[in-house]
Amino acid sequence: MLEWLATLSPVFQALTGTLFTWGVTALGAGLVFFFKSFNKTVLNGMLGFAAGVMIAASFWSLLAPAIETAESLGQTAWLTVAIGFLSGGLFLWLVDMTLPHLHMGLEKDKAEGIKTNWQRSVLLVLAITLHNIPEGLAVGIAFGAVASDLPSASLAGAVALALGIGLQNFPEGAAVSIPLRREGFSRTKAFLYGQASGIVEPIAGVIGAYAVASMQHVLPSALAFAAGAMIYVVVEELIPEAQYNEGGSSTNIGTIGCMIGFTVMMILDVALG
């Protein structure tokens, strides 16, 4: 697999990796063909797992290589990485404030972003799509970094990141399609909406890979930017959603899932990267 990927350009490597992550989103959305509802406790554990994967990936696959790369390029590493990290969070905050979307379990009048008359289903899909922008960027930037021939960037590490992001995309696909089925959508339509939430990943991945492969001096900033965007999603959305069951009672399942997800991504990155 690695030998075949090595023959491709960084942009096509990124496209391959993000098509995989999109495919796993579709697999998760496919659960709607077997279930009409989903136990919220199980979903909390899956969302917590996704949060743990993203936290671990933000450090081992993005921030640590960003620091090493900045130092090798003669940049002031702490400054470059700090600015990139905060810029990633700021970007997601601006998108969050602008793009109309609705978080799971909320009524339509609780939608965030610019006010719109869009259907509830569209708003739910856009909420998950927000997650996938930084995820696609992260995978694309990781593959684009391989072209820099820096010690901190490896094809195996990029593959590990794509695997980790793919694993945590599974619950996100289910988190869109199954609630839509519960609201009266047909199984096919609910599936199509669920998998559509991941379509942004190949787009963001190709953009990220092309940018860093063409302009190596922006690689540290790009890696840190993707990490900041991912951490924003984790803290603003995934962890809060994983902490409560219906009725508002708190749960530890999301926390346990987060610990497991972090460990799995750490193992993937260290073992393969």
Side-chain angles (χ1 to χ4, degrees):
M1 177 64 176
L2 288 179
E3 290 80 6
W4 174 74
L5 278 176
T7 64
L8 303 177
S9 70
V11 171
F12 278 99
Q13 289 172 351
L15 179 61
T16 301
T18 48
L19 285 175
F20 164 75
T21 60
W22 180 18
V24 180
T25 302
L27 283 177
L31 289 179
V32 75
F33 291 108
F34 305 97
F35 305 99
K36 186 174 181 178
S37 62
F38 211 64
N39 184 283
K40 184 61 168 66
T41 300
V42 174
L43 182 59
N44 284 346
M46 295 172 75
L47 291 174
F49 180 89
V53 167
M54 291 177 71
I55 293 170
S58 294
F59 177 73
W60 270 282
S61 297
L62 299 172
L63 285 176
I67 294 169
E68 293 179 21
T69 304
E71 290 174 344
S72 68
L73 293 175
Q75 301 174 2
T76 305
W78 65 267
L79 181 61
T80 298
V81 173
I83 292 174
F85 182 83
L86 292 175
S87 297
L90 177 62
F91 170 74
L92 254 290
W93 178 75
L94 291 174
V95 173
D96 193 47
M97 296 294 291
T98 305
L99 183 68
H101 63 284
L102 178 66
H103 298 304
M104 291 181 294
L106 298 180
E107 297 300 322
K108 187 177 178 181
D109 60 1
K110 301 293 185 182
E112 300 178 11
I114 296 174
K115 299 303 178 182
T116 177
N117 292 322
W118 292 351
Q119 293 182 353
R120 174 183 168 85
S121 56
V122 174
L123 296 174
L124 285 168
V125 172
L126 288 176
I128 299 297
T129 301
L130 281 176
H131 297 182
N132 294 330
I133 294 174
E135 293 167 12
L137 276 175
V139 174
I141 290 168
F143 279 107
V146 177
S148 65
D149 292 325
L150 295 170
S152 59
S154 69
L155 183 58
V159 169
L161 178 60
L163 286 173
I165 295 297
L167 284 174
Q168 64 91 46
N169 273 359
F170 187 82
E172 291 186 354
V176 176
S177 62
I178 292 177
L180 291 179
R181 172 60 178 160
R182 194 166 58 240
E183 292 184 11
F185 280 67
S186 68
R187 295 184 188 275
T188 300
K189 190 172 182 180
F191 166 76
L192 291 175
Y193 272 103
Q195 62 82 33
S197 66
I199 197 170
V200 71
E201 289 198 3
I203 299 171
V206 167
I207 292 173
Y210 179 79
V212 299
S214 303
M215 301 172 287
Q216 291 187 13
H217 65 282
V218 305
L219 177 57
S221 298
L223 288 166
F225 180 94
M230 287 176 66
I231 291 297
Y232 180 92
V233 168
V234 169
V235 176
E236 197 270 341
E237 198 160 323
L238 287 181
I239 289 179
E241 289 180 359
Q243 287 298 311
Y244 294 96
N245 279 322
E246 281 100 346
S249 60
S250 62
T251 174
N252 292 323
I253 298 300
T255 303
I256 295 170
C258 184
M259 297 292 291
I260 295 173
F262 186 96
T263 303
V264 168
M265 186 64 223
M266 177 181 65
I267 291 171
L268 279 175
D269 198 276
V270 175
L272 296 180

